Amino acid sequence: DVTGLGPAYSLGKFDGIAGCAWDTISVDGIPPVFTDFISAGVWDKPLFSVYLPSDDTTKGALTLGDIGTQFTGDIDYVPLSSETYWEIQFGGLEINGASQSATGKAIIDTGTSLLAVPTADAKAIAKALGATPFFLNPNEFTVDCSKVASLPDIDVKIGGKTYSIPPSKYIINDQGVVCLLGVTGIDIPAPAGPLTILGDVFIREYFTVFDYGSKQVGLAKAN
């Protein structure tokens, strides 16, 4: 029930929210809907995958009970570090080989639009990319649209591998008028935090498998 969650939910005509994290953090301990499907044997496999396209010309895909096909190469799997959110051990974010954020853990979350890091780290990333605070929200940043093509990748370190996000994916370009950096500051207190949230900016670049049965997350280059 999305009643009371704000005007965006009313204007967007959402029917509701289907939480797909673990039951350890569900409200009143209610089992997430996907675990009901798994327990009932409705799905072929105890997992689901998500593909988010980069533009409106391609349809996204949520594949339930199997792994979709919208990726290239191999899927690399990383074990969960906590059965709360889809949390994994995290090597940090780098720009041009320099560490900009190293929270030690990250969650992969389709419900977060941007890359969310501690506020101080967001400011460091913005500085490294020449971005300035957005006047509507000091925890978000903009860059000169004419310089987007020359910006470096943001390198995400997971499981000993590097997952690079090019500027074409981490900059949200509003028709060349405003170019918003897809990074925001958020300070999550202990014990849950500090952590990094790898949201849609990351998932658009990397097809993601949420493997409930094996307690792991799979990542591959999205088509």
Side-chain angles (χ1 to χ4, degrees):
D1 181 6
V2 296
T3 303
L5 291 183
Y9 289 90
S10 299
L11 295 173
K13 303 185 185 303
F14 291 90
D15 292 321
I17 298 173
C20 290
W22 293 71
D23 57 7
T24 54
I25 59 171
S26 66
V27 175
D28 298 328
I30 298 172
V33 63
F34 76 94
T35 62
D36 285 341
F37 291 141
I38 292 169
S39 298
V42 175
W43 291 2
D44 293 333
K45 300 174 184 176
L47 51 77
F48 57 96
S49 66
V50 174
Y51 167 67
L52 296 181
S54 298
D55 56 58
D56 294 338
T57 63
T58 305
K59 291 184 178 180
L62 170 63
T63 303
L64 305 175
D66 210 337
I67 298 174
T69 60
Q70 303 87 357
F71 65 93
T72 58
D74 296 327
I75 299 175
D76 294 313
Y77 286 93
V78 183
L80 296 182
S81 56
S82 174
E83 294 168 28
T84 48
Y85 297 97
W86 290 88
E87 181 183 303
I88 55 176
Q89 292 294 318
F90 180 55
L93 300 177
E94 294 184 359
I95 296 175
N96 289 328
S99 176
Q100 305 294 335
S101 180
T103 55
K105 56 185 178 181
I107 63 173
I108 301 181
D109 180 34
T110 60
T112 300
S113 300
L114 310 178
L115 300 176
V117 300
T119 301
D121 296 347
K123 292 178 179 178
I125 292 169
K127 183 178 180 180
L129 296 172
T132 55
F134 187 39
F135 73 96
L136 291 176
N137 183 349
N139 285 327
E140 295 182 355
F141 307 87
T142 59
V143 299
D144 184 335
C145 290
S146 67
K147 298 180 179 179
V148 170
S150 63
L151 292 175
D153 293 348
I154 294 177
D155 294 327
V156 181
K157 302 291 186 174
I158 300 172
K161 296 181 180 293
T162 299
Y163 297 86
S164 297
I165 308 174
S168 60
K169 298 294 178 68
Y170 69 72
I171 297 295
I172 301 169
N173 190 329
D174 184 8
Q175 299 180 339
V177 177
V178 175
C179 287
L180 182 71
L181 175 62
V183 177
T184 189
I186 181 171
D187 295 311
I188 300 173
L195 57 74
T196 296
I197 304 176
L198 301 174
D200 297 347
V201 165
F202 179 79
I203 298 171
R204 286 192 188 96
E205 187 71 2
Y206 294 99
F207 176 91
T208 305
V209 179
F210 297 89
D211 189 339
Y212 179 81
S214 297
K215 300 178 182 179
Q216 61 184 2
V217 170
L219 300 170
K221 191 70 169 61
N223 287 344

